[in-house]
Amino acid sequence: MNGVIFTDYEKIERLKSMIEKSERIVFFGGAGVSTESGIPDFRSADGVYMQKAKYPPETIISRSFFDAHPEEFYEFYRKYFYYPDAKPNAAHLKLAELERSGKHVAVVTQNIDGLHSAAGSKRVYELHGSVHRNYCMRCGKAYSAEYVAHSQGVPRCECSGIIKPDVVLYEEPLDEKVINGAVREIASADLMIVAGTSLNVYPAAGFIRYFRGDNMALINRDATAMDGSFDFIINEKVGEVMKLVQL
């Protein structure tokens, strides 16, 4: 389909059957969910961490670097974290469709692009925040992603405070309210679909241990160190797989 040869049609049919039989579904997604929308991941050959910069990319997206070098941070951030033209792909759209059909579908995402909400999903837990929320560090006033993207140098509030994206940088904790909601959804789900993630980023990757349901599937282009934890695995692009799940 569309030039992609699938060798796992039986697994796709099995996934379809599990989705049909499940009332509560949790989808745990990583960067690979959004690559088909034109947003690069982090660790592949052309990923964010492979880009040449004055400082190592993982250093640039740390809180201490943001505080010490906000101008360099924003130069990198605008180039690699803001994609205004990105649109939801088949994976985002399928999850929203399942929710509209009456199933209890919760999305727990490590992505900060807001594409799940743009597709229409209502129960979205953004573990690492969102580029679409930005706040003045002095007075707390909210600003849009467009305001930050089109500002010159370090974006500042009308009170002159520095504006910071509501994204979780290295050295920052995850939001406790988001964590609690995500864990609650995972623990109460019948089916868990993990997709587009290497399961190398903690604490997010550790969330799958809270699942107590019957079936857990992994959709990921490459193998992961946690493959043995899943009932079955489909090594294909997430959007291509979800497009084939016709209910």
Side-chain angles (χ1 to χ4, degrees):
M1 301 238 173
N2 297 326
V4 178
I5 299 174
F6 280 88
T7 57
D8 290 319
Y9 282 108
E10 289 185 5
K11 289 183 179 180
I12 291 172
E13 286 301 310
R14 183 179 174 189
L15 177 62
K16 174 183 174 181
S17 176
M18 288 178 177
I19 290 173
E20 289 177 333
K21 294 175 181 177
S22 299
E23 291 301 318
R24 298 182 68 91
I25 301 167
V26 65
F27 180 92
F28 183 93
V33 176
S34 292
T35 53
E36 289 165 90
S37 293
I39 298 177
D41 61 13
F42 290 87
R43 292 174 174 80
S44 64
D46 57 349
V48 173
Y49 289 166
M50 300 297 115
Q51 303 305 316
K52 292 182 179 180
K54 183 178 178 181
Y55 302 92
E58 290 177 275
T59 298
I60 295 174
I61 55 176
S62 68
R63 179 55 190 263
S64 57
F65 188 91
F66 173 86
D67 290 335
H69 308 282
E71 193 155 331
E72 287 90 344
F73 169 87
Y74 270 110
E75 182 180 351
F76 188 85
Y77 177 83
R78 290 186 180 101
K79 188 172 182 179
Y80 296 111
F81 286 87
Y82 179 62
Y83 292 88
D85 297 326
K87 298 290 187 291
N89 62 49
H92 303 104
L93 296 172
K94 179 61 68 174
L95 292 166
E97 177 189 325
L98 288 173
E99 187 175 344
R100 288 194 300 271
S101 75
K103 290 186 181 293
H104 184 103
V105 179
V107 175
V108 180
T109 179
Q110 299 175 73
N111 298 334
I112 60 174
D113 51 50
L115 292 180
H116 285 292
S117 295
S121 289
K122 304 301 182 186
R123 300 183 189 91
V124 181
Y125 298 86
E126 296 170 316
L127 296 178
H128 296 152
S130 171
V131 298
H132 298 287
R133 297 188 299 270
N134 302 270
Y135 301 100
C136 173
M137 296 171 65
R138 177 179 292 177
C139 72
K141 182 177 178 179
Y143 286 86
S144 68
E146 291 75 18
Y147 181 89
V148 170
H150 298 301
S151 298
Q152 296 297 314
V154 180
R156 289 189 177 271
C157 176
E158 57 188 23
C159 76
S160 79
I162 293 177
I163 298 169
K164 180 184 179 296
D166 187 22
V167 299
V168 180
L169 304 176
Y170 285 118
E171 305 166 353
E172 291 185 320
L174 302 185
D175 182 275
E176 188 172 343
K177 184 177 179 181
V178 175
I179 290 174
N180 291 340
V183 169
R184 186 167 56 249
E185 294 288 359
I186 292 170
S188 63
D190 308 315
L191 169 64
M192 184 173 189
I193 303 171
V194 178
T197 174
S198 62
L199 293 172
N200 285 328
V201 179
Y202 284 83
F207 279 42
I208 66 172
R209 72 179 186 272
Y210 294 105
F211 181 66
R212 299 290 181 268
D214 297 324
N215 297 291
M216 188 160 64
L218 173 65
I219 308 170
N220 199 54
R221 188 183 58 185
D222 304 311
T224 77
M226 298 180 69
D227 281 5
S229 301
F230 295 89
D231 297 304
F232 72 102
I233 298 165
I234 302 177
N235 290 130
E236 303 284 358
K237 293 181 178 180
V238 184
E240 292 292 347
V241 170
M242 297 303 285
K243 189 187 303 179
L244 294 178
V245 179
Q246 299 297 326
L247 303 175

